[in-house]
Structure formats: C-alpha cells, structure tokens
Amino acid sequence: MKMKNTSIKTRVTLYYAAVLILITLILFTAFYFTAVRQMNVVSRDTVMKAVQNTFDDIEAGDGFIEIDSDFDAYRKGVTLLVYSESGKVIKGTIPKNFPAQTPLEAGNYEEITGEDDVWLVYDLYNTYENGEGIWVRGIYAMDNAMQTFHAVIWIMLIALPAILLLAILAGRHITRQAFTPVSKITETANSINSGRDLSKRLPQGESKDELYDLTETLNLMIGRLEEAFQAEKQFSSDVSHELKTPVAVIMAECEYTLQKIRRPEEYQESLMTIQSQCRRTISLIQQLLQLTRTIDKDRSVEKEAFNLSILCESIAEEISVLAAEKGITMKTDIQADVNLTGDETLIMRMILNLLTNGIKYSKNSNTDEEDCWVSLRLKEKNNRIIIDVEDNGIGIKEEELENIFHRFYKVDKSRAGEDDSFGLGLSMVRWIAQAHGGIVSVQSSFGKGSRFTVELP
C-alpha cells in the first residue's frame, strides 16, 4: 500500500513509530558498547587494585618473606596468588580450569581463554630491600561479569519492545484524539456538500489552535459563498421577472393583433408597443452586460491618470440639458485640478447614474413647491476625493436606505414600468466606488431630498 493513499493519522503513527524504533536502536547500541567498555575498565581496575593491595599483607626481612595470617586469597571476585621469584606458588589456590602454566608478565593485562571460561589476568612483581622478589597474580573470572551483563541485556531486549509498543499505542491514541476535530469537520463538510446547505458551519474546537483558525477561515469562506449564492439566486429571479414582463407584453400584443385583420393605425400602435418593450429589454440586457464586469474587479478596471474636475464639468454641462427639459436647475461646485488615477469611463458612468437618479426622482417644477434642483460638488480633502450629488426631490424612506444599493431594488415602485428603470444604477455606483478602493454613502429625508457621497482615495 502506497503511503500517499494512507490516512494522515496512519502516516503520523508510522513516522512516530519509526522515529521511536530508530532512537531505541541507537540508544541500545550506544548502551551496549558503552557497557562493554565500562565492564572491561571496571574489571581491570578491580584486578589491579586487588593485586596492589596484596603487597600490603606481605613483609620481607633478612632471608625471609612473611605473609599475614589474615591474607584473603579472594577479594571482590578476584583470586589472588603469591609466587616466589622463581615462579612457585607460595599462597593461594589456582582456580579450577585455569591454565597453571600461564607465564608471569609484570604490569600487563591478559585475557586467557580456557575450555569454558574467560579469565582476566594481571601480574605485578615487587623487589624488597633484602633482594627477594615476589610475584602477585590476580585472576578475575570474566564469566561472572558477562553473566550479569547478559542478564541486563536480556532484560532490556524484553522490556524495550514492550515499552516501545506501549509508546506507539499511546501515540496512536493521541493522534486519533488530535484528528477527531478533523473527522468532525470532514463529516460536516460532506453534509454541506451532499445537502447543499450553505447555512451550516464547520464545528470549531474549544482550543484556539491551528485547526480552530482553519475552521474559522473556512466558515468565513462558506458564509461568503452562501451570500454570493443567495445573491446570484435572487439576481436570477429578478432578471427572470424583469425579462418576463416585456416578453409577456410583446406576446400578448402579437396575439391580440393577429386575432383579426386590423386597420393600419392599429398595426402601427401594436408595433410601437412592441418596439417600446424591445427597447426596454435591450436596455436591461445592456445593464446586465455591464454588471458582468463586477465578477473580476482587477480585470474590469483600466486605471489611468486623468483630470476629474474637467470630467465633472463636462458631465454637468451635458446633464444640465436633460435637467432643463424637466424644469430642474443644475448646480455645480467643482474644485479645479482634482486628479484621479482610475477608470475614466466607469467614473463617468458612476456620476451620470447619480445625477440621472437625482433628476428622475425630483419634484415636478410645475407645482407650487420650491424650485427643483440637482447639485454636483467635487473637492479634495485629506488625500481623499469627495464627490457629492444632492437633490431636493422625493427622498427615500429610512427603512429603504439599506436596500437601495441592491440590484433590481426600486424605491419608487410607481416607476417600475419606465424603460430604463431596473434598479441597477445604484448597484453599479457602489461597485464602481469599491473597484476604485472607495466607498459610497447616502443621507436622505423622505419628502425633502437625498445626498449621495462618494469618497475615493
């Protein structure tokens, strides 16, 4: 089975187990060689000290050598033998199976291998004042130390795998516990995917760790997806509704006209009705095509430096003609030489949308009310460009202010049948402002007028 096809829990456990086994092998090997070396050092030191201390029990005089009566021929596992200068055993007993003919060598360690035993031998020679020489030999049976050492090794060989297995099982349990939130996240994500219910959110643990941050980020993403999905769903519904009306009018007009032969005037009237609805549909399609640019702001905006003051003056001059036709006064207060780096076409469309809205919803100048007016102001303040479009028209009710920037939302429902009234203008205004890193806000008093403010960096 390939590692890439296994779960992360299994891979973490396998890596953890491999590291533990490797560390155990390294430690065991280091312990083995260190113990062997230390055992040899301790054995040699024990034999040497035992031999050296034996000379304290030996006294020499004129023509004699005397060994204390309490001489101990076996000290700390070391068999001690006292030899005369000629090599004859004076004191002590040669261990069984030890090669008795082993020559004496002063100051050297030697390992002697017998039939069944390994012996560590150390000889030391000393000459006394009377000229007599004495040999002391220490014989240490290495099998004693080796038996103890092997016993320790066997204990380790049995205990270490058991401890290693317990550690791996404990690591596996910890890994499962650590990945439990991941399983819950996966389960919830599958539920969201299968049920297509974007209102659900991934569970977040109590500990604010990496998984907590991940689920928080994913939940924010799901929330944005839900918002976008609902917006697109509403958008599709609104588009269908807006297109359904003119198509239904065209179909009804055609069916009515074709029911019987009619006079030329009636045909002309029907064609004019159909033409009006076709123009309305074309206007809607054009605005929808413009809205498609909102999908990718970076690609949609072609920024270049231009003089915003000149652009505003040109727009005001152009829109004043339309305003005059409806008896509305166009006012301007434009600061000179205000420059902006942005998409000039989009900025022009944004200002035109705000001004045409102001004209569209102004009071009728033929009434006894005060004169109707629409104003355009431009100024630069604190490194911000501020565009104000204000009117003294019908205003907007407070409960409708939060919805006016939504697509297809119309404040004045009585104007729903106008050719270019689809509720897309202010939605486009907000997007253009955001695409340039700015914001748009509105202040309105119902029956007194509205003021739209765009702030751009």
Side-chain angles (χ1 to χ4, degrees):
M1 181 177 60
K2 295 182 179 180
M3 287 293 290
K4 66 180 182 180
N5 294 328
T6 58
S7 66
I8 296 178
K9 289 186 290 186
T10 302
R11 276 184 282 172
V12 169
T13 303
L14 290 175
Y15 292 149
Y16 172 74
V19 170
L20 278 181
I21 292 172
L22 180 61
I23 293 174
T24 302
L25 289 175
I26 293 173
L27 291 177
F28 181 80
T29 303
F31 169 79
Y32 179 83
F33 286 105
T34 302
V36 169
R37 182 178 178 277
Q38 190 66 21
M39 183 183 66
N40 289 330
V41 170
V42 171
S43 298
R44 293 189 177 198
D45 185 65
T46 301
V47 174
M48 182 186 67
K49 288 182 178 180
V51 170
Q52 290 176 343
N53 292 334
T54 300
F55 283 99
D56 296 335
D57 297 331
I58 301 174
E59 294 181 4
D62 293 335
F64 71 90
I65 293 177
E66 184 179 357
I67 300 175
D68 291 345
S69 59
D70 59 351
F71 172 77
D72 188 0
Y74 190 81
R75 298 179 184 178
K76 296 182 179 180
V78 180
T79 300
L80 297 169
L81 300 173
V82 180
Y83 290 82
S84 65
E85 189 171 5
S86 61
K88 182 181 179 181
V89 176
I90 301 174
K91 195 76 173 177
T93 304
I94 298 175
K96 184 180 180 181
N97 299 328
F98 179 79
Q101 303 304 319
T102 302
L104 296 165
E105 295 184 11
N108 291 330
Y109 293 99
E110 186 177 2
E111 286 190 5
I112 306 298
T113 303
E115 295 180 0
D116 299 317
D117 301 307
V118 177
W119 312 87
L120 177 64
V121 179
Y122 180 74
D123 300 327
L124 196 61
Y125 177 77
N126 187 34
T127 303
Y128 291 92
E129 293 179 358
N130 61 3
E132 295 290 333
I134 292 295
W135 286 90
V136 175
R137 165 170 282 181
I139 303 173
Y140 184 74
M142 296 292 290
D143 289 348
N144 295 332
M146 290 301 295
Q147 287 176 0
T148 303
F149 176 70
H150 288 157
V152 173
I153 293 298
W154 276 109
I155 291 173
M156 290 184 66
L157 289 175
I158 294 172
L160 284 178
I163 296 173
L164 191 62
L165 179 61
L166 289 175
I168 292 173
L169 292 176
R172 176 68 174 175
H173 176 72
I174 293 172
T175 303
R176 284 182 176 177
Q177 292 294 322
F179 280 89
T180 297
V182 177
S183 300
K184 293 181 180 179
I185 291 171
T186 303
E187 183 180 351
T188 306
N190 287 330
S191 174
I192 293 173
N193 182 50
S194 60
R196 296 184 180 181
D197 184 5
L198 292 177
S199 63
K200 292 183 178 179
R201 294 295 180 267
L202 302 177
Q204 290 182 278
E206 296 179 358
S207 301
K208 292 191 175 182
D209 50 15
E210 291 83 354
L211 285 177
Y212 184 93
D213 295 336
L214 175 62
T215 51
E216 186 175 32
T217 302
L218 291 175
N219 282 335
L220 290 174
M221 182 185 70
I222 294 172
R224 292 183 63 185
L225 288 174
E226 180 185 18
E227 183 180 346
F229 178 76
Q230 294 297 334
E232 290 306 315
K233 185 177 179 180
Q234 184 64 39
F235 177 72
S236 299
S237 175
D238 292 337
V239 169
S240 300
H241 175 75
E242 292 293 339
L243 288 174
K244 181 179 179 181
T245 301
V247 171
V249 172
I250 292 172
M251 181 61 69
E253 191 66 29
C254 290
E255 290 176 352
Y256 172 76
T257 305
L258 293 174
Q259 283 180 353
K260 63 180 181 178
I261 298 176
R262 302 183 181 278
R263 299 191 309 273
E265 294 82 4
E266 292 176 320
Y267 283 120
Q268 185 177 11
E269 184 178 351
S270 294
L271 289 174
M272 290 178 64
T273 301
I274 293 173
Q275 182 187 48
S276 173
Q277 294 302 321
C278 286
R279 285 176 176 171
R280 175 176 169 81
T281 304
I282 291 172
S283 176
L284 173 60
I285 292 172
Q286 288 175 341
Q287 293 187 51
L288 290 176
L289 289 174
Q290 186 67 32
L291 276 178
T292 59
R293 299 182 66 183
T294 66
I295 296 175
D296 191 338
K297 294 180 182 179
D298 293 332
R299 287 186 176 181
S300 301
V301 179
E302 299 178 359
K303 294 184 178 180
E304 60 180 359
F306 64 94
N307 192 310
L308 183 58
S309 300
I310 295 177
L311 178 65
C312 288
E313 290 173 355
S314 175
I315 294 172
E317 184 178 351
E318 178 183 345
I319 208 73
S320 62
V321 178
L322 175 63
E325 291 177 354
K326 296 189 175 184
I328 298 171
T329 303
M330 182 70 204
K331 300 179 180 180
T332 60
D333 182 9
I334 300 172
Q335 180 180 329
D337 296 325
V338 175
N339 295 306
L340 173 68
T341 299
D343 192 315
E344 187 173 3
T345 302
L346 290 179
I347 295 296
M348 179 177 65
R349 183 176 183 85
M350 177 184 70
I351 298 172
L352 278 172
N353 281 355
L354 291 174
L355 288 173
T356 52
N357 261 12
I359 293 173
K360 183 186 299 183
Y361 296 107
S362 290
K363 300 172 183 176
N364 191 338
S365 59
N366 294 326
T367 64
D368 294 334
E369 300 177 21
E370 61 179 297
D371 291 340
C372 298
W373 52 265
V374 175
S375 70
L376 171 62
R377 290 189 291 271
L378 171 66
K379 64 180 179 180
E380 186 175 355
K381 183 179 181 181
N382 298 328
N383 293 323
R384 302 285 290 181
I385 295 175
I386 301 175
I387 303 172
D388 271 330
V389 175
E390 188 176 1
D391 64 72
N392 64 341
I394 62 175
I396 305 169
K397 294 179 180 179
E398 185 177 354
E399 61 270 19
E400 293 182 318
L401 286 175
E402 61 180 16
N403 298 316
I404 61 173
F405 293 105
H406 294 171
R407 289 176 292 191
F408 294 104
Y409 187 82
K410 301 167 190 174
V411 175
D412 189 355
K413 306 297 187 296
S414 65
R415 294 178 179 265
E418 291 190 5
D419 288 345
D420 58 349
S421 179
F422 300 104
L424 296 174
L426 291 179
S427 174
M428 180 64 65
V429 167
R430 182 175 65 175
W431 170 74
I432 294 173
Q434 291 176 346
H436 286 79
I439 58 174
V440 58
S441 58
V442 59
Q443 295 177 334
S444 183
S445 178
F446 186 66
K448 295 183 179 180
S450 305
R451 177 181 179 181
F452 288 87
T453 302
V454 178
E455 293 188 32
L456 302 173

